[in-house]
């Protein structure tokens, strides 16, 4: 396990609580602020803070690429809260029990780990994942438990095109776009048995976004994926919504 370096200057800017969170962050599938290469928990890393009077922007870099430092930018620079600051790494599918109902569910892993402080002010607040913050602004809910499905969010376009079967799983093409047309995901997904039947019943699916570590597990390891998802929810590392889904060329 690598170390996370935090300079005294960065710690003073973040404050004690955000500094603690920055030091305890899991860097699974992260991207280096310096070289844009992969950054993982086994790598020695450094916290880099970019800030002005309006926002505090927290990123991670390989220790060999950058020291832990504070970078001050002009006040006319906009806070980088766009969803394309978080690059979708993978989408997994599952049938997840919410209360007494089993619902078709998609789990999105984000490859770029980018954080802001919850207040944007020096020395105050918690670290907030920048993609999660962006999605909460669109109506997504912070997920604490999988007891009930998150609320519905309108305006998203989710299209699913089944391509064939791979054993018990259905291979499908998945496209997700935000209300303004920004592409959130365009790629493949493996659907477990009865996933499409659940979609036929409800007409929508649950989408969770975060870094639960599900993408690291084989798509056949359904129980392990569920454990990882529940752990992430309990740690407050997921946001979610219910989204309508259109199935094409089925």
């Amino acid at each position: 396990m690598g170390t996370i370096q935090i300079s005294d200057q960065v710690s003073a800017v973040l404050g004690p609580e955000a500094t603690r969170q920055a030091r305890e962050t899991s860097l699974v599938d992260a991207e280096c602020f310096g070289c844009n290469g992969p950054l993982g928990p086994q790598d020695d890393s450094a916290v880099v803070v970019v800030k002005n009077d309006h926002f505090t922007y927290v990123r991670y870099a390989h220790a060999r690429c950058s020291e832990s430092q504070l970078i001050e930018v002009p006040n006319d620079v906009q806070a980088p809260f766009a969803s394309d600051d978080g690059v979708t790494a993978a989408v997994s599918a599952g049938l997840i029990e919410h209360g007494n109902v089993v619902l078709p569910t998609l789990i999105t892993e984000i490859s770029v780990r980018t954080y802001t402080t919850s207040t944007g002010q020096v020395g105050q607040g918690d670290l907030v994942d920048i993609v999660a913050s962006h999605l909460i602004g669109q109506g997504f809910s912070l997920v604490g438990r999988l007891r009930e499905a998150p609320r519905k969010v309108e305006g998203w376009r989710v299209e699913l095109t089944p391509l064939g079967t791979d054993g018990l799983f259905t291979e499908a093409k998945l496209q997700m776009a935000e209300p303004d047309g920004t592409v959130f995901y365009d790629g493949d997904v493996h659907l477990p048995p009865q996933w499409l039947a659940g979609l036929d019943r409800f007409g929508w699916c649950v989408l969770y976004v975060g870094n639960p570590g599900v993408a690291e597990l084989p798509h056949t390891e359904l129980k392990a994926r569920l454990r990882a998802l529940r752990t992430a929810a309990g740690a407050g590392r997921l946001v979610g919504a219910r989204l309508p889904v259109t199935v094409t060329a089925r």
Side-chain angles (χ1 to χ4, degrees):
M1 183 69 69
T3 61
I4 298 178
Q5 301 171 14
I6 303 179
S7 69
D8 291 343
Q9 185 182 35
V10 165
S11 182
V13 168
L14 293 179
E17 180 58 25
T19 296
R20 180 190 65 78
Q21 291 178 286
R23 198 178 299 281
E24 295 177 357
T25 293
S26 172
L27 294 174
V28 176
D29 290 326
E31 181 179 287
C32 174
F33 178 74
C35 70
N36 295 324
L39 176 63
Q42 74 283 355
D43 297 315
D44 291 333
S45 60
V47 175
V48 178
V49 169
V50 181
K51 72 171 294 296
N52 60 21
D53 291 344
H54 307 299
F55 66 83
T56 304
Y57 181 63
V58 183
R59 287 291 302 268
Y60 292 80
H62 294 112
R64 65 178 181 270
C65 294
S66 175
E67 62 183 353
S68 178
Q69 61 177 309
L70 171 66
I71 301 174
E72 297 198 48
V73 296
N75 286 334
D76 59 357
V77 173
Q78 297 297 309
F81 287 174
S83 63
D84 55 6
D85 268 299
V87 179
T88 303
V91 172
S92 307
L95 285 164
I96 309 299
E97 185 173 357
H98 295 75
N100 295 320
V101 182
V102 177
L103 301 176
T105 303
L106 298 173
I107 305 104
T108 300
E109 309 265 353
I110 303 298
S111 63
V112 176
R113 308 298 299 280
T114 307
Y115 299 88
T116 183
T117 56
S118 57
T119 64
Q121 300 300 311
V122 173
Q124 299 178 19
D126 300 328
L127 288 189
V128 178
D129 184 286
I130 210 162
V131 177
S133 177
H134 170 78
L135 293 176
I136 287 172
Q138 291 196 21
F140 279 58
S141 306
L142 184 64
V143 177
R145 295 182 180 180
L146 304 185
R147 231 173 234 191
E148 60 182 47
R151 62 175 172 256
K152 289 183 179 179
V153 171
E154 303 295 336
W156 278 61
R157 178 177 59 82
V158 182
E159 294 184 356
L160 195 65
T161 305
L163 303 175
T165 58
D166 175 15
L168 295 175
F169 287 75
T170 298
E171 294 182 349
K173 177 77 171 177
L174 174 65
Q175 294 179 312
M176 291 189 286
E178 301 179 37
D180 66 358
T182 299
V183 175
F184 188 75
Y185 181 76
D186 186 354
D188 297 330
V189 64
H190 289 84
L191 306 174
Q194 299 305 308
W195 199 96
L196 288 172
L199 183 63
D200 284 342
R201 177 183 176 187
F202 296 103
W204 46 260
C205 75
V206 176
L207 173 64
Y208 290 124
V209 181
N211 289 87
V214 171
E216 302 171 16
L217 301 169
H219 66 268
T220 54
E221 296 290 335
L222 299 180
K223 290 184 178 179
R225 284 170 170 253
L226 179 58
R227 285 195 299 269
L229 190 65
R230 284 176 172 164
T231 298
R237 293 189 283 115
L238 288 179
V239 296
R242 283 183 287 161
L243 303 177
V245 180
T246 300
V247 178
T248 63
R250 185 171 165 186

